[in-house]
Amino acid sequence: MNNETIFALSSGHGKSGVAVIRISGNNLKYTFSKFINKKIFTPRHAYFTNLKDDDNYLIDQVICIYFEAPQSFTGEDIIEIHSHGAPAVIEKIFDHLQKSNMRMATPGEFSKRAFYNNKMDLADIDGLAALLDAQTDKQRQSALKSMIGADSKQYDTWRNQMIEISAYAAAILDYSEDELPQNINKIIKEKTTKLYKEINNTISRYTAVRAIRNGFNITLAGAVNVGKSSLFNTMVGASRAIVSDIPGTTRDVVSAQLDIDGYLVNLSDTAGIRDATDTIEKLGIERTISEIENADLILHVFDATDKKNTPYIQKENEIIIYNKSDLLKTLKGNGKTFYISTKTGEGISDLMSEIKAQIHKFTNNAESTVAVNARTKKLLADCAKELNNALNTPNENYDIFSEHVRNAADNIGKILGTITAAEVMDATFSQLCLGK
Ligand SMILES: Nc1nc2c(ncn2[C@@H]2O[C@H](COP(=O)(O)OP(=O)(O)O)[C@@H](O)[C@H]2O)c(=O)[nH]1
Ligand SMILES: [Mg+2]
């Protein structure tokens, strides 16, 4: 850790009414006093002031707030300058701060300081990064919950239980039976089994959490010319993909992000699969195949007027759609097949209801668990492995049992950052943008 005073634009870039510039450092009392031209001031109070440079030249009329350590985001002294949001004003303030011996923060540097000053652990910071990325209400809810410590609390509980089990296991060898709680052997095994189940259950929620945090992937698939792009446009509500009656028009994967019931949905329109001769179309088809593999839900579109429609074995994560129903005299979908017309809008709302139901089913209750991400999933898996090793310790060797459970606790410690390698931390902080 360095003692340098850092600053960054915490509000968004571009023209805005107000910009917030944050400064963090060890002792900013004097700096603040100069900013507001007052010797005595109260922390967390807003001061309206003419911000001037060292030559007494007026930079802007601003509001300044002083947060005294440790009651601040970073745990250090923080000054917030609320200036006008013009790029020229921000530039001039930055220039002034640089001349006052401060430097621009690197991405995530404020959070890094918060971490080192025990203001946040890595699970909180993962939540913060997700919150800053949130586009939909479900993403906001899930991220906020992690950021304010719900995940950390669960991890702490698990870790403490493991440390306790490990301590009891070690004690079995050192103490006589009447000095220990009754049935201690049985109790620690039961507790370890319970933890093992809980952690495996959490790992199994990974795909659901991912669908909330990064979006639920829906892919349009089917033969050419059945109306995939037309349905894509209907769903997006705007003409984003090229719709034409020339087979093979959609060559690349076209994607759009939608908000369905507060969930972020990554919808992609694909080339469709057929024996292509054109090399570009072939590439498109390859991409189609990989999109389908990554899809949480496939909307498989058929042309309802096509007499050749052969019976098709539906995949579990697939909805079968017959499009162009306007060209049919009689129709009705059943259960998981839907007759629609992108031309008349017929059947679209039933289809959307089914899509919503599928999203809810997929993400079911994932909000209630800790938000497993790629980093924490690996550590949870290592933790579960150690618990399993403990349970399979041969010959009732409680020394070895204790060590495995202790290792399991260390993996949870790594999730929180209490025990961690530098590269894990760098990866965590670099998700964050400037000013956080
Ligand atoms: N009558 C009718 N024509 C449709 C419907 N949906 C799409 N089409 C037409 O079918 C052709 C192929 O549509 P497109 O969306 O490009 O199909 P894709 O190749 O599967 O992406 C175009 O001429 C569309 O206008 C529909 O519901 N009814
Ligand atoms: Mg198309």
Side-chain angles (χ1 to χ4, degrees):
M1 274 284 274
N2 54 58
N3 295 325
E4 290 166 301
T5 299
I6 54 172
F7 67 86
L9 180 65
S10 291
S11 53
H13 289 261
K15 190 177 157 182
S16 61
V18 177
V20 178
I21 295 161
R22 260 185 180 165
I23 305 168
S24 182
N26 268 341
N27 188 354
L28 299 179
K29 270 204 180 89
Y30 175 68
T31 309
F32 192 76
S33 170
K34 252 177 65 182
F35 281 0
I36 62 163
N37 203 18
K38 278 190 172 65
K39 286 220 168 62
I40 296 163
F41 53 85
T42 320
R44 295 156 175 267
H45 276 238
Y47 291 90
F48 179 72
T49 186
N50 288 327
L51 185 67
K52 291 179 177 168
D53 71 9
D54 291 341
D55 299 327
N56 222 22
Y57 174 84
L58 181 65
I59 301 173
D60 189 18
Q61 285 199 312
V62 302
I63 284 172
C64 285
I65 305 169
Y66 172 67
F67 297 87
E68 190 174 24
Q71 268 123 4
S72 74
F73 175 73
T74 54
E76 302 177 325
D77 275 3
I78 279 192
I79 295 174
E80 272 184 17
I81 304 173
H82 300 213
S83 72
H84 291 97
V89 171
I90 295 163
E91 200 50 44
K92 196 79 189 165
I93 295 175
F94 278 8
D95 191 48
H96 176 55
L97 300 180
Q98 241 143 11
K99 283 182 184 143
S100 315
N101 235 348
M102 305 177 191
R103 72 162 169 82
M104 181 83 94
T106 55
E109 196 172 7
F110 280 75
S111 305
K112 205 175 217 168
R113 291 188 176 191
F115 173 77
Y116 281 113
N117 291 323
N118 294 319
K119 284 276 165 179
M120 297 177 104
D121 61 35
L122 291 187
D124 301 334
I125 286 167
D126 277 340
L128 170 64
L131 183 62
L132 296 177
D133 278 338
Q135 297 181 66
T136 69
D137 199 46
K138 291 287 177 187
Q139 288 181 308
R140 179 192 63 77
Q141 275 174 30
S142 153
L144 190 61
K145 192 167 144 276
S146 304
M147 193 196 75
I148 64 177
D151 293 359
S152 309
K153 205 168 145 203
Q154 176 64 76
Y155 288 131
D156 264 337
T157 307
W158 280 336
R159 186 160 171 266
N160 290 336
Q161 285 172 351
M162 290 172 201
I163 290 169
E164 194 182 287
I165 293 168
S166 172
Y168 272 121
I172 289 173
L173 299 169
D174 298 340
Y175 293 86
S176 67
E177 222 167 274
D178 48 311
E179 285 173 299
L180 291 163
Q182 252 192 335
N183 291 330
I184 188 69
N185 307 24
K186 198 169 152 245
I187 292 168
I188 61 171
K189 276 186 199 153
E190 277 169 10
K191 285 193 166 173
T192 307
T193 306
K194 186 165 167 278
L195 279 168
Y196 176 69
K197 282 186 186 154
E198 275 176 29
I199 285 166
N200 270 327
N201 184 37
T202 302
I203 296 169
S204 73
R205 311 300 281 280
Y206 172 68
T207 48
V209 174
R210 184 205 35 74
I212 294 176
R213 286 281 169 98
N214 303 337
F216 181 79
N217 301 324
I218 302 183
T219 299
L220 284 152
V224 286
N225 237 7
V226 294
K228 298 181 296 300
S229 299
S230 304
L231 179 55
F232 177 87
N233 288 340
T234 303
M235 287 177 69
V236 174
S239 289
R240 279 278 308 273
I242 304 165
V243 179
S244 118
D245 53 3
I246 306 164
T249 308
T250 311
R251 292 172 153 180
D252 204 350
V253 174
V254 179
S255 304
Q257 294 196 315
L258 326 177
D259 180 332
I260 298 183
D261 268 6
Y263 292 98
L264 179 73
V265 168
N266 304 310
L267 180 68
S268 44
D269 180 23
T270 63
I273 299 172
R274 65 166 184 170
D275 290 328
T277 41
D278 176 339
T279 44
I280 298 173
E281 197 189 342
K282 271 187 185 158
L283 273 176
I285 291 170
E286 274 171 32
R287 287 189 196 168
T288 301
I289 293 167
S290 98
E291 277 299 317
I292 290 172
E293 279 168 3
N294 289 324
D296 298 316
L297 179 67
I298 301 162
L299 302 182
H300 198 140
V301 187
F302 293 88
D303 185 332
T305 63
D306 188 353
K307 300 277 183 312
K308 297 195 305 291
N309 272 338
T310 42
Y312 176 80
I313 302 163
Q314 191 171 351
K315 294 190 191 79
E316 212 182 313
N317 63 337
E318 196 168 43
I319 299 177
I320 302 291
I321 296 160
Y322 290 100
N323 184 37
K324 309 193 188 179
S325 67
D326 52 295
L327 302 176
L328 294 180
K329 286 196 193 73
T330 53
L331 49 104
K332 265 295 155 264
N334 60 18
K336 266 189 157 184
T337 61
F338 289 83
Y339 278 85
I340 63 158
S341 165
T342 63
K343 207 166 189 167
T344 65
E346 186 172 19
I348 299 289
S349 75
D350 282 353
L351 174 63
M352 289 306 288
S353 300
E354 173 65 14
I355 292 172
K356 283 177 193 171
Q358 297 268 345
I359 296 173
H360 283 282
K361 201 173 119 202
F362 193 89
T363 53
N364 184 26
N365 287 330
E367 292 99 331
S368 66
T369 169
V370 297
V372 194
N373 58 33
R375 177 182 81 88
T376 51
K377 184 179 167 226
K378 164 84 176 61
L379 290 164
L380 282 171
D382 291 348
C383 171
K385 201 169 131 199
E386 290 290 354
L387 294 176
N388 191 40
N389 287 343
L391 290 166
N392 290 313
T393 304
N395 312 323
E396 304 268 304
N397 185 331
Y398 285 98
D399 250 357
I400 293 179
F401 186 103
S402 169
E403 199 183 313
H404 282 308
V405 179
R406 177 79 231 180
N407 291 342
D410 282 355
N411 281 305
I412 303 293
K414 285 180 193 163
I415 291 178
L416 294 170
T418 35
I419 305 166
T420 196
E423 65 267 27
V424 172
M425 306 244 285
D426 284 345
T428 303
F429 294 115
S430 62
Q431 315 167 67
L432 292 152
C433 51
L434 283 167
K436 265 294 171 193

